[in-house]
Amino acid sequence: MDALKSLSRLSVRQLAQQALNFCLIVSSALMIWKGLSVVTNSESPIVVVLSESMEPAFARGDLLFLTLPSTPVTIGDICVFKIQDKPIPIVHRVLEIHAAQNGSQYMLTKGDNNPTNDRALYNPGQMWIRQEDVVGKVQGFLPHVGMVTILLNDHPQLKVVLLGVLALFVLFSREE
Amino acid sequence: MFSLAQRGNTLFAFLVSVLFCVLGAVALSGPVLLASAPVGPPHIDVAKVLVKQGRRGGYYDYSQPVTEMAFVHFNMVADLTPHWNWNTKMLFVYVVAEYSTPAHPTNQVVIWDDLITAKEDAEIDLRNQLSEYMTSDMGNKLAGIQANLSLHWNIMPHVGILTKERSGSVPLVFPKVTK
């Protein structure tokens, strides 16, 4: 076991240094994510498409970049919204907007690849999406990259393997 | 010093950097190409408008009040081929009816849409096209309201930012209800 030998060769200080390096990587990833969140004003600035309802625009595994601008949603925008009490957000296009005098919007959405509008996906009796349901507006697009997270979610054991390999690499890679 | 893993790692890192540089260049070129090839104004005219009574929501949903719904027949000639470049994956083309009521100052309803996935299809010529989605107002009344029809399109890129444009504006008045 080469790996174990090299581990035993490391002093306590070196081990601690590697552990700190590992923590630094994890915390900078978290900071980038949170920083993006602040800049875009969206709780999840990057989302992965999970369904085929927006084909051919968005396929399963595509990455979407969201912002939540303070300006109202305009017609034809692709929005990510949440239905109350349903866990998974939906990415669909806004095809109808009625704005009241105080600026509050009533919106109807539809997936490009779906034959009908989304009223069947809303809660029973719900006719409209409101501004507070909108998590973000799709601004940018990067194809296929999100397939990694879909794979990791479909096969949870992969996560352990990936984390283990990464941790080993960080612990054992030393600049000579 | 130069193990296979190290060489592999360096090569992979280089490939990924090159890939993302190319993707970045393509993403940046999209808006530039769109701006350099403007689309001429479309020709839209309203052939016939019918207002009927019905309910919003599903057929089975009798909890919704009876509302006035408009069905629009329109003609449209538009050429969106200039907006077809290497970073155009799809054009989402839609015709919007916009109107204003005292209770709701801005109302925008898509009455017809189309997904264009090939340059040849970006030349649009519609004759007496019936609206795909009926128009209805939250106040349940449409008759007598003055509206505008305009053509909008959303350029979906292969990679990069999504852009939207609009053009043209044709007046339209919703007539009395036909029984």
Side-chain angles (χ1 to χ4, degrees):
Chain A
M1 289 295 282
D2 262 2
L4 275 181
K5 247 184 233 162
S6 70
L7 189 63
S8 62
R9 256 192 281 127
L10 291 174
S11 69
V12 179
R13 274 176 205 286
Q14 276 171 316
L15 266 181
Q17 173 123 38
Q18 298 290 14
L20 278 178
N21 268 345
F22 190 65
C23 291
L24 189 71
I25 291 171
V26 171
S27 56
S28 44
L30 193 72
M31 275 179 65
I32 290 173
W33 178 252
K34 287 292 169 194
L36 260 182
S37 218
V38 171
V39 170
T40 60
N41 190 26
S42 181
E43 54 183 283
S44 48
I46 301 176
V47 296
V48 176
V49 179
L50 294 176
S51 83
E52 275 140 22
S53 62
M54 284 298 281
E55 290 264 14
F58 305 146
R60 205 171 136 75
D62 291 347
L63 273 197
L64 305 179
F65 297 86
L66 311 183
T67 64
L68 190 58
S70 47
T71 52
V73 176
T74 54
I75 194 82
D77 280 347
I78 304 171
C79 284
V80 180
F81 56 92
K82 273 183 176 160
I83 308 288
Q84 269 189 341
D85 306 325
K86 295 195 183 172
I88 298 184
I90 304 175
V91 188
H92 279 175
R93 199 185 287 277
V94 175
L95 288 195
E96 197 169 329
I97 300 178
H98 302 278
Q101 250 161 358
N102 61 5
S104 85
Q105 292 182 308
Y106 298 82
M107 293 172 271
L108 178 65
T109 54
K110 177 181 174 287
D112 287 359
N113 199 25
N114 289 353
T116 57
N117 62 44
D118 288 345
R119 285 199 173 119
L121 299 175
Y122 302 166
N123 283 321
Q126 184 183 357
M127 297 298 282
W128 310 101
I129 290 288
R130 305 301 305 275
Q131 242 174 326
E132 50 270 25
D133 301 324
V134 175
V135 179
K137 194 174 125 176
V138 179
Q139 301 281 10
F141 174 80
L142 185 62
H144 307 310
V145 178
M147 218 56 216
V148 183
T149 59
I150 290 186
L151 275 178
L152 288 179
N153 271 332
D154 289 354
H155 310 281
Q157 52 289 36
L158 273 180
K159 270 185 214 172
V160 183
V161 173
L162 190 73
L163 271 182
V165 169
L166 275 182
L168 282 180
F169 263 112
V170 173
L171 280 176
F172 292 121
S173 65
R174 279 177 300 164
E175 287 105 64
E176 321 247 328
Chain B
M1 196 68 195
F2 298 107
S3 67
L4 190 65
Q6 266 174 324
R7 285 168 200 266
N9 184 21
T10 315
L11 187 67
F12 183 70
F14 181 65
L15 281 182
V16 169
S17 335
V18 169
L19 178 68
F20 273 86
C21 283
V22 171
L23 286 181
V26 171
L28 286 177
S29 74
V32 177
L33 287 174
L34 289 181
S36 65
V39 162
H43 175 80
I44 313 174
D45 67 86
V46 179
K48 189 167 84 174
V49 190
L50 276 179
V51 175
K52 293 183 175 177
Q53 288 194 315
R55 289 174 209 273
R56 262 193 298 264
Y59 295 114
Y60 49 84
D61 187 1
Y62 286 92
S63 62
Q64 295 302 322
V66 170
T67 177
E68 292 179 359
M69 309 194 295
F71 299 83
V72 182
H73 293 256
F74 63 97
N75 305 318
M76 182 170 76
V77 179
D79 183 12
L80 300 181
T81 44
H83 274 180
W84 202 274
N85 57 53
W86 63 28
N87 198 20
T88 309
K89 178 161 74 175
M90 188 191 100
L91 296 176
F92 181 82
V93 184
Y94 51 114
V95 174
V96 179
E98 285 172 291
Y99 62 90
S100 170
T101 62
H104 297 88
T106 46
N107 297 274
Q108 297 176 302
V109 181
V110 172
I111 64 165
W112 174 90
D113 65 22
D114 196 12
L115 311 174
I116 294 178
T117 51
K119 187 176 184 179
E120 303 81 68
D121 302 333
E123 227 169 303
I124 304 165
D125 186 359
L126 301 172
R127 295 287 155 85
N128 210 21
Q129 172 70 44
L130 171 62
S131 53
E132 268 181 88
Y133 313 109
M134 50 96 190
T135 312
S136 63
D137 185 55
M138 291 192 79
N140 300 325
K141 293 269 177 257
L142 271 183
I145 289 176
Q146 163 95 44
N148 267 309
L149 284 192
S150 50
L151 173 68
H152 299 228
W153 62 100
N154 184 194
I155 302 125
M156 317 292 292
H158 285 293
V159 58
I161 58 166
L162 279 65
T163 26
K164 284 204 308 183
E165 295 217 14
R166 63 175 294 171
S167 181
S169 179
V170 178
L172 150 87
V173 177
F174 293 117
K176 285 206 179 82
V177 178
T178 12
K179 298 276 172 171

